[in-house]
Amino acid sequence: MKILLIGEKGQLAWELARTLMPIGDIVPVDYPAFDISNKEQILETVYSVVPDLVINASAYTDVDRAETEKEKAVAINAEGPGWLAEICQSKNIPVIHYSTDFVFDGMKKSPYVETDIPNPINFYGRTKLKGEEAVLNATESALIFRLAWLYSSRGNNFMKKFLEWAGKYEIIKVVDDQVGNPTWARFVAEATASILAESLSSDLPLYNWIKEHKGIYHLTGSGYTNRYEWSCKIWEFAPNRENLKIKRVERAKTVDFPTPAGRPAYSALDCSLVKRTFSINIPSWEEQLQKCMDN
Ligand SMILES: NC(=O)c1ccc[n+]([C@@H]2O[C@H](COP(=O)([O-])OP(=O)(O)OC[C@H]3O[C@@H](n4cnc5c(N)ncnc54)[C@H](OP(=O)(O)O)[C@@H]3O)[C@@H](O)[C@H]2O)c1
């Protein structure tokens, strides 16, 4: 199987490239050589690579900057994925795409399920919601996984930032009024690989198998927590604890740290649907964090 992987250098794509290697030949592309906001380039790439599957792990992920770089965020997160899905549909190529918990407003008091109505409170969330809609409207064969609070040993993420602060400061204040599911990018890559392996053991061609399962699925570490508790676990599991300067994590509130983009107060996702539909195991967020640290 030939897999066109978009967003090669991102934290999720990096894990996907390695995890999917036993399943297929990966053709990785990334900005600036490949620009998902350029329809011509998508067409040329898809038509010349002729993949059996396209995985889009690219995105405009700077939540705060998206408030001002609106056109760019729309082009990368909404229009581009829509064009990609349309072009793939014209060649009967299935698509896997990723979205976010930030499509929800955070007003719910229990984990969000796929049938809950999205209502993003920041521009990034709006662009990702438009991207979901564009992909689902343009093709009949697509899986969209909504992820949350993604981290890995590479890229820009909260776990790495916290460890960096822990090496510099004795006291770190972290908000305890934002709740979500920390999710290791390697777990998402492994779950994606396991779902693809399941498809390959079916009698249906991949396009039809994905068509049969078309839709949005929540895919995160199981269980949820707030950023303060998450930080305490990062510190507890840190491999180089003795070299860290940190002495204490203190609770803070979101209002203490104003940011250009609002964050949903509660964006925990319920992953029952993905577990019911596919044969995947979802380790707890603590187990994922421990494994990431051990790596
Ligand atoms: N990070 C999170 O906490 C989080 C949470 C929930 C959902 N998600 C979703 O999970 C997916 C993967 O996120 P991630 O954290 O792995 O993202 P990431 O590390 O920011 O990687 C995104 C990749 O996309 C590339 N890219 C940007 N603009 C592009 C363009 N015009 N054309 C082609 N590629 C372009 C980036 O290249 P440059 O670095 O050169 O810009 C980067 O390599 C995304 O769909 C994201 O929305 C992420």
Side-chain angles (χ1 to χ4, degrees), residues 60-103:
Y60 182 105
T61 52
D62 191 326
V63 176
D64 288 319
R65 200 181 289 174
E67 296 294 317
T68 44
E69 284 193 336
K70 290 189 169 162
E71 271 181 34
K72 192 172 172 189
V74 168
I76 296 169
N77 290 347
E79 292 169 347
W83 292 327
L84 176 71
E86 182 190 320
I87 289 161
C88 287
Q89 173 67 63
S90 73
K91 287 275 179 198
N92 282 356
I93 300 165
V95 174
I96 292 182
H97 177 72
Y98 298 93
S99 188
T100 173
D101 55 327
F102 279 18
V103 297

Side-chain angles (χ1 to χ4, degrees), residues 51-63:
D52 302 296
L53 169 72
V54 173
I55 300 185
N56 178 30
S58 75
Y60 182 105
T61 52
D62 191 326
V63 176

Side-chain angles (χ1 to χ4, degrees), residues 15-288:
E15 298 290 349
L16 281 165
R18 274 134 203 90
T19 310
L20 292 173
M21 238 181 254
I23 291 186
D25 293 332
I26 315 290
V27 181
V29 292
D30 205 342
Y31 189 81
F34 172 87
D35 182 357
I36 197 165
S37 64
N38 181 332
K39 192 173 181 181
E40 277 300 303
Q41 216 173 17
I42 301 175
L43 191 100
E44 274 165 29
T45 307
V46 171
Y47 278 39
S48 63
V49 173
V50 201
D52 302 296
L53 169 72
V54 173
I55 300 185
N56 178 30
S58 75
Y60 182 105
T61 52
D62 191 326
V63 176
D64 288 319
R65 200 181 289 174
E67 296 294 317
T68 44
E69 284 193 336
K70 290 189 169 162
E71 271 181 34
K72 192 172 172 189
V74 168
I76 296 169
N77 290 347
E79 292 169 347
W83 292 327
L84 176 71
E86 182 190 320
I87 289 161
C88 287
Q89 173 67 63
S90 73
K91 287 275 179 198
N92 282 356
I93 300 165
V95 174
I96 292 182
H97 177 72
Y98 298 93
S99 188
T100 173
D101 55 327
F102 279 18
V103 297
F104 294 115
D105 59 18
M107 303 303 281
K108 207 180 164 194
K109 300 284 178 272
S110 59
Y112 284 93
V113 291
E114 288 80 353
T115 46
D116 285 324
I117 310 290
N119 181 32
I121 59 167
N122 57 42
F123 198 75
Y124 165 77
R126 285 202 272 283
T127 63
K128 293 294 291 183
L129 177 60
K130 289 239 174 290
E132 290 180 356
E133 292 163 354
V135 169
L136 293 178
N137 287 335
T139 176
E140 54 181 19
S141 181
L143 299 176
I144 299 180
F145 297 112
R146 283 194 188 132
L147 317 177
W149 293 21
L150 205 61
Y151 64 88
S152 74
S153 55
R154 302 171 67 85
N156 236 336
N157 60 68
F158 181 77
M159 181 200 73
K160 282 184 63 190
K161 265 187 226 153
F162 181 83
L163 287 174
E164 193 188 313
W165 298 331
K168 284 191 201 159
Y169 309 114
E170 293 196 346
I171 299 169
I172 302 173
K173 294 185 181 193
V174 183
V175 300
D176 66 0
D177 54 358
Q178 286 176 28
V179 173
N181 326 79
T183 306
W184 186 21
R186 170 101 37 106
F187 155 72
V188 176
E190 286 173 354
T192 304
S194 155
I195 289 167
L196 280 175
E198 196 177 327
S199 78
L200 296 179
S201 64
S202 130
D203 293 338
L204 290 175
L206 184 63
Y207 180 86
N208 298 53
W209 192 86
I210 290 190
K211 181 178 168 187
E212 227 174 54
H213 297 89
K214 182 186 176 189
I216 294 175
Y217 298 88
H218 293 173
L219 182 64
T220 68
S222 89
Y224 51 87
T225 187
N226 63 53
R227 281 197 191 267
Y228 164 81
E229 302 285 355
W230 184 20
S231 306
C232 294
K233 279 285 174 214
I234 297 171
W235 181 19
E236 185 186 328
F237 293 160
N240 56 341
R241 278 177 67 87
E242 60 289 351
N243 301 329
L244 298 177
K245 207 164 177 188
I246 185 171
K247 299 266 184 297
R248 201 164 68 239
V249 188
E250 284 184 0
R251 290 175 185 272
K253 298 293 171 201
T254 301
V255 289
D256 301 330
F257 297 101
T259 49
R263 265 63 172 175
Y266 183 99
S267 60
L269 302 181
D270 178 312
C271 297
S272 311
L273 179 65
V274 79
K275 279 197 285 184
R276 273 201 312 275
T277 312
F278 307 107
S279 313
I280 57 164
N281 171 40
I282 304 193
S284 71
W285 69 266
E286 291 101 322
E287 210 178 312
Q288 294 189 12

